[in-house]
Structures are given as structure tokens and as C-alpha cells.
Amino acid sequence: RAQVAALIGASPKEIVFTSGATESNNISIKGVMHFYKDKKRHVITTQTEHKCVLDSCRHLQQEGFEVTYLPVGSDGLIDLDRLRKEIRPDTGLISVMAVNNEIGVVQPVEAIGQICKEFNVPFHTDAAQALGKIKVDVEKWNVSLMSLSGHKIYGPKGVGALYMRRRPRIRVEPQMNGGGQERGIRSGTVPTPLVVGMGAACELAMKEMEYDEKRIKGLQERLLNGIREKIDGVLVNGSMDRRYVGNLNLSFAYVEGESLLMGLKEVAVSSGSACTSASLEPSYVLRALGVDEDMAHTSIRFGIGRFTTEEEIDRAVELTVKQVEKLREMSPLYEMVKEGIDIKQIQWAQH
Amino acid sequence: MAASGAGVPMRREVLQLYRSLLRVARQFCDYNIREYSKRRTMDAFRDNKNLRDPSQLSAAFSHGKAQLEVAKRQSLLYSLYPPKVKSIMDF
């Protein structure tokens, strides 16, 4: 518990162990709103949140609460002035994730924290992707609730944590009732092996954060430059400045994402994220960014981590370039573009 | 069972530790873990090469020995349940 707390700048008494960030998100959103349901009926979140946050909000909407989904700019960041305008006297929670899992963008959490302090609204952030990768400080960010995940920092799967501020104390209605473990917030036997694993992972992450970040940044540049040297029409989705170095979401023009994925069988990439893998629709995150439909369909997410090697990056570049070139060769759209025809002007005939 | 930080390690001991770590690293079946162990060992020893303060030296040495124990345990465990398919990078 102390190991997890040390990584985020909190006290061990403020850490509650759960089964994962999904459960922590559920407890935060539904728990807070149910507890304050008499006075607070409004929640503010963003359009690019993780599925579990959006789903919890939808559940709240079905119960009669109101939810505002803030739009994001084309760089993936929310507009702080818009946030200010949306805050109402009955706003019970603002939930914005720190690092996005699909595009890797880092939201301006410190500024959001300041706004929440000003209006005295609890601030919840899903820091599952941020933990151990960027500096997380619950005081500086002024968060009341933070969701953490074990397996995102090379810990075991099936464990996570929820940070709950004690001063000023935030109250939640527990989602798991029972014997009163974890200060009554989350009943159920605490899974000792998983929790020990998460603690060890957090301690390691704290020691290795600087070394990892430097190395991963170099690998990200190597990947991006390697691909850009060989092919054009490559777009990076999300802001290049405010991003986590281990995530690269690229769109390749005139190529379809799923077919590129099938061609890249040896590389562990995804077109979207694990929680949207069942559907063939382009990801809602990219749609929120305002990316064109055709570019949204071609996006691929590369993840770089502590164990990624330079050779793997080079191999990924080689395979990606080969596949993209092959697919473009087969594509009639690409032929038309090379001849100079403007695709947007084409009138597609109905069959 | 902690490694005792008794005294400053001699050059010979440090080199021995370095070689042992690399030897164990080579034994991991998983490509990524193997490469990581090799790389992390080399980088850590390189970063600490100019340490002169005795307490820092013995702390770093004990840390290295503790990591060697972890690596020995884990490479044994992993080899008991080797993956059926090797990484593409191993071909």
C-alpha cells in the first residue's frame, strides 16, 4: 500500500485496492454520484474517456443524472474555457483521464485541478496509463479520486487501486457490499499475491521511470522517423507535444486499418484499443478528434514499453512500410491520387 | 536473507557480478526479458562506473547482488514453463 502511495504522492491510508482500473472507475463515478445524489445531479467528462467511464456515465444517465461530454480539439486536448462554462452549481464530479490509451495524449491535469479547486468540484482522473510513466502527484493535480491499474505497469492482471483523498474527505457509496474490507469502500478478500505484485511494480516503476522514459522516447522517434523516411501520407493522431512517449497512433492515407493489421501479423499493434476490438467501427476517440472517416479507418496504434528493443522497432518499421506499400499498390484510390485526381471531388455512383 | 552490504566490493567482485548477471540474462527463454536483462545490466554498470563514495559503492553492489538472485529464480521458473512459440525476433 505504501509502495503504491509513494508513486503518486499520497498517504497509504488513501489507497483502496480493487480488481482493476475499471472497477476503480466504476466506484468513483457511480459511487460519488449516488452518495451525493440529493444535491448533485451533473457530471462532466470527455468524449475520449475509456469505455468503462463512458459506460458508467451512460448508466447514470439512465438513472436520471445529467452528463456533459466535453469535446476535444484536433490535438486531443480539452478546452479549459469550455470546461469552466459547463460547470454548474449541481456538478458533482469532473472526470478526465490523464493519459489517453488510444492516442497517448496527456491532458492538462494540473490546470483542470485548479479549476476544480476554484469551483469546489471533486476531480476524478483515470491514471491507469499515466502511473509509473509520467510524474503523478495528487497534490499538484488536486485530484480527489484516481484510478490505478496493476497490469499497465508490468504488475499482475486483476488488480488495481483507487486513491481517495482524505483532506478534504471524498465520500463514495460502495459498489461491492460485504465484510467492510478496505475501509468499507470495497468489500471482498484482498488478493494478497496480486496486491504484493502491484506494490513491487510501483516501487520498480518509481526507480526506473527516468531511465525508461529516455529510452522509450528515443525508440518512438526511431519508429516515427523510420516510417516517415520511407513512406508519405503518415499522420500522427493527437498532439505531438503533450503526449506520452510510449504511444504512437498513426494514420496511413489510402490504406485500410484492419487489412494493415492482418498484414502485420508479427507485430503487436492494434487499430483502436482492446475495449473496442469487437466492433469494426473506427474508434470513437478518433472520431472525437475530428479525424476524417477515411483516415480514422486507417489508424494503427503502436505501443512501446520497457521491454521493447531497438531491433523490434527496426523490424516493425520494415514490416509496416512493406505492408503499406503493398496495400497502396493494390489500391485504385492511390492510383487516382498519383494521377493528380482530388479524391474529395469524386462523385461516387450508386450501384 | 538479504545480501549483506559488508564493505566495499573489490574490482574483481564487481566484474564477477557483472559476468554472472549477463550469464543468467542469456538463460531467459523469452526474447524481451532476455534483452532487457542484458541491456539493463550493461546500462546500470556503465552509469555507476564512476562511483567513488564507499557507501554508494556497497549499496549499488548489494542491489546488484539482490537483482542477481531475482534473475536466477525467475529464469529457473520461466524455463519450467517455456512458451510453445518463440518470438519472431528469435528467428
Side-chain angles (χ1 to χ4, degrees):
Chain A
R1 213 179 289 270
Q3 289 164 322
V4 177
L7 190 52
I8 59 175
S11 138
K13 295 194 189 155
E14 296 172 310
I15 303 286
V16 168
F17 284 112
T18 64
S19 68
T22 301
E23 187 185 340
S24 303
N25 281 332
N26 269 267
I27 298 178
S28 308
I29 299 179
K30 294 195 279 200
V32 164
M33 292 316 287
H34 285 164
F35 193 84
Y36 295 105
K37 66 174 178 280
D38 297 323
K39 300 240 186 62
K40 308 284 186 182
R41 307 291 300 178
H42 181 228
V43 178
I44 302 181
T45 182
T46 72
Q47 287 176 357
T48 53
E49 291 294 306
H50 194 261
K51 243 331 176 30
C52 55
V53 171
L54 294 179
D55 225 45
S56 304
C57 289
R58 193 168 25 173
H59 182 97
L60 285 179
Q61 272 181 302
Q62 282 172 344
E63 289 180 346
F65 291 86
E66 282 173 46
V67 181
T68 302
Y69 299 94
L70 285 176
V72 291
S74 60
D75 57 356
L77 302 169
I78 60 165
D79 184 349
L80 294 169
D81 294 319
R82 180 76 184 262
L83 170 63
R84 274 173 188 275
K85 284 210 212 78
E86 297 287 343
I87 299 182
R88 309 188 326 210
D90 69 340
T91 299
L93 186 69
I94 295 184
S95 174
V96 179
M97 70 192 329
V99 175
N100 187 283
N101 52 326
E102 283 194 44
I103 51 183
V105 174
V106 182
Q107 298 287 353
V109 269
E110 274 188 46
I112 301 175
Q114 288 308 318
I115 297 181
C116 292
K117 195 166 177 167
E118 201 183 307
F119 289 87
N120 202 18
V121 181
F123 179 28
H124 163 253
T125 183
D126 177 1
Q129 299 284 347
L131 186 65
K133 309 223 170 78
I134 60 172
K135 220 157 178 343
V136 176
D137 186 335
V138 291
E139 290 306 319
K140 262 214 290 193
W141 291 10
N142 193 47
V143 279
S144 307
L145 293 150
M146 185 186 286
S147 306
L148 307 167
S149 171
H151 71 105
K152 296 281 189 297
I153 46 170
Y154 310 102
K157 283 191 176 143
V159 68
L162 176 63
Y163 159 78
M164 289 182 56
R165 182 176 280 275
R166 291 182 95 219
R167 280 197 218 94
R169 186 187 288 266
I170 181 95
R171 312 285 302 273
V172 295
E173 184 194 76
Q175 301 295 303
M176 295 286 291
N177 303 108
Q181 286 91 344
E182 298 298 292
R183 298 172 187 272
I185 305 291
R186 203 273 184 187
S187 297
T189 307
V190 177
T192 318
L194 297 176
V195 161
V196 169
M198 182 168 179
C202 285
E203 193 175 286
L204 254 172
M206 194 149 82
K207 289 203 207 126
E208 300 285 301
M209 201 173 351
E210 203 184 307
Y211 171 83
D212 280 342
E213 200 200 322
K214 207 163 60 161
R215 210 182 67 86
I216 294 176
K217 187 156 182 31
L219 290 177
Q220 186 202 49
E221 281 168 5
R222 199 185 172 99
L223 178 63
L224 188 56
N225 295 339
I227 294 183
R228 280 214 160 124
E229 270 168 20
K230 307 267 179 58
I231 48 181
D232 61 344
V234 177
L235 220 80
V236 178
N237 293 315
S239 155
M240 262 323 273
D241 314 306
R242 290 200 58 97
R243 88 179 0 247
Y244 163 55
V245 291
N247 176 306
L248 197 58
N249 191 305
L250 301 176
S251 276
F252 300 94
Y254 321 116
V255 167
E256 213 275 325
E258 295 292 326
S259 33
L260 183 55
L261 221 71
M262 289 202 287
L264 286 177
K265 277 216 187 61
E266 292 108 2
V267 188
V269 288
S270 77
S271 67
S273 65
C275 43
T276 60
S277 58
S279 89
L280 281 175
E281 285 258 321
S283 106
Y284 60 89
V285 172
L286 289 178
R287 216 172 311 130
L289 285 180
V291 173
D292 287 332
E293 276 293 305
D294 51 341
M295 288 303 263
H297 268 285
T298 89
S299 75
I300 296 281
R301 177 187 69 166
F302 293 88
I304 307 170
R306 185 184 290 165
F307 296 97
T308 315
T309 67
E310 244 176 47
E311 288 87 15
E312 284 179 321
I313 296 282
D314 292 339
R315 180 76 77 92
V317 168
E318 187 192 316
L319 287 170
T320 308
V321 168
K322 197 166 77 166
Q323 281 305 311
V324 169
E325 284 177 344
K326 187 162 107 176
L327 284 169
R328 280 184 176 168
E329 205 63 29
M330 293 196 278
S331 158
L333 274 182
Y334 192 57
E335 264 181 56
M336 291 200 273
V337 167
K338 280 204 291 195
E339 285 170 17
I341 303 177
D342 181 8
I343 302 227
K344 304 237 189 298
Q345 302 290 22
I346 299 178
Q347 302 279 27
W348 298 103
Q350 300 276 49
H351 281 262
Chain B
M1 234 212 83
S4 70
V8 180
M10 304 212 294
R11 181 188 162 77
R12 181 174 50 87
E13 292 175 306
V14 173
L15 284 174
Q16 228 167 28
L17 178 62
Y18 184 64
R19 277 197 293 268
S20 306
L21 276 164
L22 287 182
R23 192 170 31 233
V24 176
R26 275 199 293 272
Q27 290 167 2
F28 280 108
C29 337
D30 179 282
Y31 165 79
N32 288 101
I33 301 184
R34 188 173 29 186
E35 291 302 308
Y36 171 77
S37 309
K38 285 198 285 187
R39 177 180 60 237
R40 193 70 190 89
T41 304
M42 295 195 280
D43 285 346
F45 274 78
R46 190 183 314 129
D47 287 341
N48 287 338
K49 126 178 117 176
N50 292 321
L51 282 184
R52 295 285 171 260
D53 172 60
S55 62
Q56 279 181 336
L57 276 166
S58 65
F61 188 68
S62 330
H63 180 68
K65 287 190 69 170
Q67 294 302 304
L68 179 61
E69 294 305 308
V70 172
K72 279 198 213 163
R73 269 202 308 267
Q74 290 308 119
S75 73
L76 177 61
L77 276 171
Y78 287 145
S79 68
L80 292 176
Y81 299 97
K84 299 206 174 48
V85 182
K86 287 206 284 189
S87 157
I88 187 77
M89 303 298 294
D90 273 337
F91 288 103

